[in-house]
Amino acid sequence: MTAATRVLTAHVPAGLADKVDLLAARLERSRGWVVKQALAAWVDQEEERHKLTLEALADVDAGRVIDHQTVLAWADSLSTGEPLPPPVA
């Protein structure tokens, strides 16, 4: 059984379309396959970014944060002979 599909149409810059065509030819795949792979990867990336953002906001709400000055001091120490240990929330 095959999954239901829908056609999506988008206008893209000609240069990007040319790159997709070249990549499809190099991979011996269809333009549609390349676009589908790219779109799936982008959706996965955005879903992960959203999940991580929600986790970060929950950390802030719970007070699990490191103040800016502590982070700056740690970052500045990295270029010294004796770097500080990474700060911990």
Side-chain angles (χ1 to χ4, degrees):
M1 175 157 106
T2 59
T5 62
R6 290 178 36 201
V7 174
L8 299 176
T9 303
H11 289 268
V12 298
L16 179 58
D18 292 341
K19 288 180 181 181
V20 169
D21 288 341
L22 288 171
L23 185 57
R26 190 177 322 137
L27 296 173
E28 298 181 0
R29 298 286 187 159
S30 70
R31 179 188 306 151
W33 183 88
V34 172
V35 171
K36 188 171 20 176
Q37 293 296 113
L39 186 57
W42 178 79
V43 167
D44 288 346
Q45 176 183 327
E46 290 304 311
E47 287 175 340
E48 180 69 9
R49 184 186 323 258
H50 181 70
K51 179 183 82 90
L52 292 172
T53 298
L54 294 178
E55 289 174 6
L57 291 171
D59 283 342
V60 170
D61 289 344
R64 293 184 296 266
V65 296
I66 301 168
D67 69 89
H68 185 68
Q69 290 301 331
T70 302
V71 173
L72 284 179
W74 169 75
D76 288 343
S77 79
L78 295 177
S79 61
T80 70
E82 295 184 33
L84 296 170
V88 179

